[in-house]
């Protein structure tokens, strides 16, 4: 049976030059490198320079992905940009990227599912390609969480970083089997009953200012280990594979302990998990495409590999996707 698949044809990323270490944070607030590393795995994170915007990060990642795919902006007919830190309330940051990469037709929009944004982006791009709405979609995760952190709140400011990653999906013919390249399945969930566990304390229709990130870390952790294990199982069952078929887990990079727990429950050894949290911290919607691009770039992820991606964040919103590279 011939089916349309959304096949990945290139990926890229961008990290701001400035690296902020745990020791630098420990010099400013009541924390230690030992606490941050033992509780999260994080050693350092990148922080955007003054004036460097989410769109700047997204454009650099998009151009990197286009170069990897041997394409130009004119070859793209849709952009889905996952971000919780847009340049402005409107217009969408995606339309800035559209203009900057020389994409004169098609459409571009922002998607907001916080840390799960890239999975939601992949699922939406896949649906647009399979339904015929678009043929080649640039999916970007880009964030400048440094702009919404309360740098006096040690429980949150040590956790996050800035960055961007991008993947290009294009319509390709498949057989409908798990051997096909491209997106094989995705599962999305959200539960607004948990809005208060992870949120930003401002916004245009409430305080009219940007606000700061607030998190009940322990509670989010509790939800994460349960929901990520469930949603990983759900997508594997939907597609008809098991943990032993998975070549790489490319997880959301929030906390090494959450990553290890999810891999264990999926039956995948840590040697098959892409971990970047120690160098990037939690970059929200950017974390999965950043990890993906780094592991493709260093040759770990190869054509034909089966990738399991999963993420959870504010909302709560969570999801998973299986993609054969
Ligand atoms: O991407 C979106 C999803 N987000 C997540 O997945 C984050 C999920 N949560 C977590 O990763 C973890 O809950 C944290 C890393 C945020 C916190 O780790 P924890 O092991 O759950 O620590 P805790 O919140 O239970 O805090 C333990 C102690 C507290 O002190 P007391 O009450 O035991 O005296 C905190 O005040 O650690 C203290 N603490 C710190 N100490 C030094 C909190 N932050 C710090 C810090 N440095 N930066």
């Amino acid at each position: 049976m011939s089916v349309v698949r959304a096949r990945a044809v290139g990926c890229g990323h961008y990290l701001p030059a400035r690296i902020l270490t745990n020791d630098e944070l420990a010099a400013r607030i009541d924390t230690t490198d030992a606490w941050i590393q033992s509780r999260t795995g994080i050693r350092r994170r990148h922080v955007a320079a003054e004036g460097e915007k989410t769109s700047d990060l997204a454009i650099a990642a998009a151009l990197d992905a286009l170069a990897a795919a041997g394409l130009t902006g004119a070859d793209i007919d849709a952009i889905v940009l996952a971000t919780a830190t847009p340049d402005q309330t409107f217009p969408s940051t995606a339309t800035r990227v559209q203009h900057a990469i020389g994409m004169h037709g098609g459409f571009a929009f922002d998607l907001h599912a916080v840390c799960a944004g890239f999975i939601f982006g992949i699922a939406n791009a896949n649906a647009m390609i399979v339904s015929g709405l678009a043929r080649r979609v640039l999916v970007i995760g880009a964030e400048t969480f440094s702009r919404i952190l309360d740098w006096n709140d040690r429980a949150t400011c040590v956790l996050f970083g800035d960055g961007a990653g991008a993947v290009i999906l294009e319509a390709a013919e498949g057989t409908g089997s798990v051997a096909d390249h491209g997106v094989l399945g995705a599962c999305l969930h959200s539960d607004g009953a948990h809005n208060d566990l992870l949120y930003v304390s401002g916004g245009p229709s409430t305080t009219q200012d940007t606000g700061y990130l607030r998190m009940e870390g322990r509670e989010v952790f509790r939800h994460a280990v349960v929901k990520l294990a469930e949603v990983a199982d759900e997508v594997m069952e939907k597609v008809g594979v098991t943990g032993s078929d998975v070549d790489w887990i490319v997880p959301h990079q929030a906390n090494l302990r959450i990553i290890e727990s999810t891999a264990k429950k999926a039956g995948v050894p840590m040697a098959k998990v892409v971990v970047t949290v120690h160098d990037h911290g939690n970059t929200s919607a950017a974390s999965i495409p950043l990890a993906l691009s780094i592991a493709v770039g260093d040759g770990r992820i190869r054509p034909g590999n089966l990738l399991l991606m999963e993420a959870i964040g504010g909302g709560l919103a969570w999801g998973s996707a299986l993609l054969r590279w």
Side-chain angles (χ1 to χ4, degrees):
M1 182 185 60
S2 173
V3 299
V4 178
R5 292 291 196 189
R7 185 173 179 157
V9 293
C11 62
H13 70 274
Y14 172 80
L15 287 160
R18 166 86 168 102
I19 292 171
L20 180 64
T21 65
N22 289 350
D23 284 335
E24 284 177 83
L25 284 169
R28 293 187 205 165
I29 54 167
D30 182 17
T31 190
T32 60
D33 174 51
W35 189 94
I36 302 170
Q37 283 209 46
S38 65
R39 298 295 175 118
T40 70
I42 299 166
R43 295 195 292 249
R44 59 185 76 88
R45 72 285 294 140
H46 291 250
V47 177
E50 203 182 325
E52 200 173 25
K53 303 183 295 298
T54 294
S55 60
D56 298 320
L57 277 53
I59 290 161
L63 291 174
D64 195 32
L66 286 168
L71 298 170
T72 69
D75 300 316
I76 300 295
D77 49 23
I79 297 176
V80 180
L81 193 157
T83 189
T85 45
D87 290 10
Q88 294 160 281
T89 303
F90 78 81
S92 68
T93 302
T95 53
R96 289 190 180 278
V97 177
Q98 179 187 26
H99 180 65
I101 67 171
M103 178 183 154
H104 306 297
F107 59 95
F109 64 96
D110 288 0
L111 180 153
H112 194 343
V114 207
C115 295
F118 184 74
I119 300 287
F120 277 61
I122 287 286
N124 276 276
N126 180 51
M128 294 197 298
I129 287 171
V130 169
S131 68
L133 189 63
R135 284 195 58 78
R136 202 179 274 133
V137 185
L138 173 59
V139 185
I140 306 170
E143 303 278 17
T144 48
F145 261 49
S146 61
R147 310 309 196 223
I148 55 166
L149 294 176
D150 173 352
W151 289 98
N152 294 311
D153 177 14
R154 69 175 184 172
T156 54
C157 77
V158 303
L159 303 174
F160 295 89
D162 300 338
V167 173
I168 299 166
L169 297 178
E170 98 181 6
E173 204 174 312
T175 63
S177 84
V178 297
D180 285 351
H181 288 254
V183 179
L184 301 179
C187 297
L188 305 181
H189 296 277
S190 57
D191 183 354
H194 304 301
N195 274 189
D196 293 348
L197 296 184
L198 178 49
Y199 64 97
V200 171
S201 61
S205 83
T206 51
T207 59
Q208 290 82 56
D209 62 19
T210 310
Y212 294 106
L213 183 148
R214 302 290 178 213
M215 178 166 71
E216 299 287 336
R218 215 174 303 186
E219 273 301 292
V220 176
F221 189 101
R222 208 173 54 78
H223 282 283
V225 290
V226 174
K227 290 182 164 56
L228 290 176
E230 283 173 0
V231 81
D233 276 352
E234 186 186 354
V235 77
M236 289 195 287
E237 202 177 309
K238 183 175 174 179
V239 168
V241 298
T242 68
S244 58
D245 298 311
V246 171
D247 294 298
W248 291 100
I249 298 185
V250 189
H252 173 47
Q253 311 280 327
N255 186 315
L256 185 59
R257 291 184 290 148
I258 297 173
I259 293 172
E260 287 170 344
S261 157
T262 310
K264 191 171 176 191
K265 288 183 184 154
V268 178
M270 280 305 287
K272 291 183 169 187
V273 182
V274 180
V275 179
T276 53
V277 69
H278 40 269
D279 288 333
H280 301 166
N282 181 347
T283 58
S284 183
S287 87
I288 291 178
L290 260 168
L292 178 67
S293 175
I294 281 169
V296 168
D298 66 23
R300 271 178 289 173
I301 294 177
R302 297 169 161 281
N305 280 175
L306 183 62
L307 314 182
L308 171 62
M309 303 182 279
E310 30 82 0
I312 187 166
L316 296 174
W318 66 102
S320 57
L322 276 165
L323 182 147
R324 192 172 298 284
W325 193 251

